[in-house]
Amino acid sequence: MYILDIQASGTGDESYPAEIAWTRMDGSESYSTLINPDSVDGWEKWSHQAVHHGLTRQECCERGETATYVARRVAHLIKDYPVFSESPIEDQQWLDKLFMSAGKRCPAKLIPIEHAVRSRRRLELHRYLLARRDEHNAAANSLLLARAIRQINASAKSDRRNQSALSSSLKWLKDFSFVT
């Protein structure tokens, strides 16, 4: 299972993915890259929002991988593993645009991050998401989200162990009869 995050060149129809990152849920693997907009015809627009994320078009052009290469890396990941996103609708839009630029269809859909935790823990995740500071960096966001999911899931396991221990210690009450 992976967490994926994408930062874009803006929010309009002419915008495109500029940075993509993913982290394995257990924290053992992560990947991040800028996407070179010069590798795709028509990826020209650059908004102040991307600058807000700390990205420049020039930096993406100089240090970014081609859109085709990035699409290939994402295809390998997304076809073999469940991939979660904090913003699945927006990130799916950017993935679809990335794959379209490579002449391919995205092989799978992103899963809302809420599905990475048990349903009774979703409120805890929601509180975390509201309270955290958005790093405006895909790599940092994917790492932080994966860590939060691990912590929430670990606390759920701990709660289940405690519940099980409590019910085991009270088993003797089952056969006990009260006289009134």
Side-chain angles (χ1 to χ4, degrees):
M1 294 191 323
Y2 287 84
I3 299 284
L4 177 135
D5 191 54
I6 298 175
Q7 300 296 330
S9 67
T11 57
D13 288 341
E14 295 176 12
S15 299
Y16 47 87
E19 179 190 17
I20 188 168
W22 57 79
T23 300
R24 192 176 180 108
M25 200 70 77
D26 66 6
S28 66
E29 176 191 345
S30 63
Y31 175 78
S32 173
T33 188
L34 299 175
I35 302 169
N36 181 347
D38 282 346
S39 69
V40 178
D41 288 337
W43 282 15
E44 303 295 329
K45 182 179 166 105
W46 197 261
S47 80
H48 69 281
Q49 179 189 8
V51 174
H52 178 68
H53 292 306
L55 297 173
T56 66
R57 189 176 196 303
Q58 181 179 351
E59 181 183 16
C60 288
C61 290
E62 292 172 0
R63 294 187 27 230
E65 298 287 350
T66 67
T68 301
Y69 173 80
V70 176
R72 225 178 10 253
R73 291 286 312 258
V74 173
H76 176 71
L77 173 81
I78 207 166
K79 74 178 177 65
D80 292 334
Y81 300 97
V83 179
F84 297 88
S85 170
E86 178 184 9
S87 304
I89 294 170
E90 292 86 2
D91 287 345
Q92 188 71 53
Q93 170 189 327
W94 301 129
L95 278 184
D96 291 343
K97 191 167 247 189
L98 175 69
F99 277 89
M100 189 170 30
S101 75
K104 306 221 182 278
R105 285 181 46 132
C106 187
K109 296 290 184 196
L110 296 173
I111 304 165
I113 196 169
E114 294 81 16
H115 296 285
V117 298
R118 293 185 175 272
S119 59
R120 64 177 176 257
R121 292 292 180 171
R122 289 184 182 158
L123 180 59
E124 188 176 345
L125 175 61
H126 182 69
R127 286 184 186 137
Y128 167 78
L129 294 174
L130 288 174
R132 81 180 175 90
R133 192 185 92 211
D134 186 8
E135 294 297 319
H136 299 298
N137 174 289
N141 282 336
S142 68
L143 287 167
L144 289 171
L145 290 168
R147 185 179 312 136
I149 297 295
R150 285 195 309 273
Q151 290 172 346
I152 290 168
N153 286 336
S155 69
K157 287 178 186 173
S158 175
D159 288 351
R160 282 195 309 273
R161 279 193 300 270
N162 291 341
Q163 181 71 25
S164 178
L166 178 63
S167 62
S168 293
S169 67
L170 296 176
K171 277 185 180 176
W172 63 272
L173 277 174
K174 181 174 82 171
D175 297 323
F176 190 78
S177 64
F178 292 93
V179 177
T180 58

